[in-house]
Amino acid sequence: MNEGWNDIRDAIQGDGDGLSAPIPDHWRQGRTCYGGMTAALMYEAALQQVEDLPPLRSAIVNFVGPVTDTPVLTSELLRRGRNVTNVSSRADVGEQCVGRADFLFGASRTSEVGVDFPAPDAPLPEECELFTPEFAKPMVPAFFHNFDTRLIAGERPMTGTEGYIRTWSRHMDPASREGTGSLLCLADVLPPAALPLIRTMAPVSSMSWIVNILSDKPETEDGWWQVESRLTAAGGGYSTQVMRIWNAAGELVVEGMQSIAIFA
């Protein structure tokens, strides 16, 4: 089996004033590293370079440029407050910044406000079709083969009339299915929600990504997460989408938004 998320994380090592981990070809999306992997590596760098961090609550990720080679990862403590700790991380290739993430960490506390947003009904993963049909496997980005992804609702790229995709997804590597870094790596797995609406193959590029995590310790059964992406607006070669992730018990764990550049 190819290296999974855990293997890449465990390969992080010192590199001058920063950290680095080589990106295998099977984790690439065209000429760059898959965005979820880039975000997860910056998160792991924050954990290793800043001590005593509480659970991750939010991440604002900017994909600045293509990660064409091994990135050097550095993190800076911006502020440690009573409730929230702010850490900024970046990834550089050579002299070029290719990724930037601002992470907010915060311990849980008692609150009188609690609102549930349960997952829509869904068949079990084994009852759903593979997201990528056999004939299409050579056409999908290399990184996508590191995940087991099954279509629940919505449409595949270039086949639909609605900007909506909902799937079951998990890491192929069983050892890579636990922890917040694992979830961040998986959270960007779906193609942009605008892609069902286009009719020709064309480049797309994630520009920015906001991820809010609603659990101290994200967990699910057998690695399966229900992942949803819904197009909210598009025009001028750009789109925006809302993204949600529920665990296998139907509990909302992640909510976010992403900005996409579309060259079609």
Side-chain angles (χ1 to χ4, degrees):
M1 179 181 289
N2 288 328
E3 298 100 322
W5 155 246
N6 270 21
D7 299 309
I8 309 303
R9 181 199 63 193
D10 293 346
I12 294 175
Q13 58 185 354
D15 190 330
D17 293 331
L19 303 168
S20 68
I23 310 297
D25 287 344
H26 63 88
W27 277 103
R28 294 201 167 272
Q29 185 173 6
R31 63 183 178 136
T32 189
C33 175
Y34 158 57
M37 173 65 78
T38 301
L41 285 173
M42 288 191 286
Y43 164 75
E44 290 295 331
L47 294 185
Q48 293 191 28
Q49 294 176 315
V50 180
E51 296 181 348
D52 300 324
L53 290 174
L56 180 65
R57 296 296 172 183
S58 185
I60 303 172
V61 182
N62 287 312
F63 300 107
V64 180
V67 186
T68 55
D69 204 346
T70 299
V72 176
L73 311 163
T74 53
S75 300
E76 177 188 3
L77 174 64
L78 301 180
R79 182 178 185 271
R80 193 184 297 274
R82 181 180 301 176
N83 296 305
V84 175
T85 298
N86 294 261
V87 177
S88 181
S89 298
R90 61 182 283 162
D92 292 86
V93 172
E95 300 299 317
Q96 176 65 53
C97 176
V98 294
R100 180 73 181 261
D102 290 325
F103 296 110
L104 281 74
F105 298 84
S108 181
R109 59 183 181 274
T110 302
S111 174
E112 64 183 59
V113 179
V115 179
D116 293 328
F117 195 105
D121 291 337
L124 296 173
E126 56 267 27
E127 297 172 353
C128 298
E129 294 182 354
L130 291 174
F131 186 82
T132 305
E134 194 66 32
F135 75 87
K137 286 185 176 180
M139 296 181 280
V140 304
F143 83 87
F144 199 76
H145 299 295
N146 295 293
F147 301 97
D148 184 353
T149 300
R150 316 290 182 95
L151 183 64
I152 298 171
E155 304 287 349
R156 298 176 174 91
M158 299 186 292
T159 66
T161 58
E162 181 186 13
Y164 179 70
I165 305 170
R166 181 158 56 99
T167 69
W168 287 110
S169 191
R170 67 177 177 179
H171 287 264
M172 283 289 194
D173 175 22
S176 296
R177 293 174 182 170
E178 296 184 1
T180 301
S182 165
L183 179 56
L184 266 182
C185 185
L186 176 142
D188 194 28
V189 65
L190 296 186
L195 286 196
L197 303 180
I198 71 172
R199 292 296 177 264
T200 57
M201 295 186 67
V204 295
S205 178
S206 298
M207 298 191 303
S208 64
W209 186 28
I210 300 172
V211 183
N212 295 321
I213 297 181
L214 309 172
S215 171
D216 283 14
K217 187 178 180 182
E219 294 178 327
T220 193
E221 182 179 350
D222 204 20
W224 286 113
W225 299 95
Q226 192 175 153
V227 186
E228 176 186 86
S229 186
R230 184 182 296 276
L231 178 70
T232 54
Y238 302 91
S239 69
T240 184
Q241 61 189 38
V242 172
M243 307 162 78
R244 293 187 175 97
I245 299 178
W246 295 266
N247 63 18
E251 299 165 334
L252 184 64
V253 176
V254 172
E255 187 168 57
M257 179 177 287
Q258 194 167 46
S259 176
I260 310 285
I262 304 172
F263 299 90

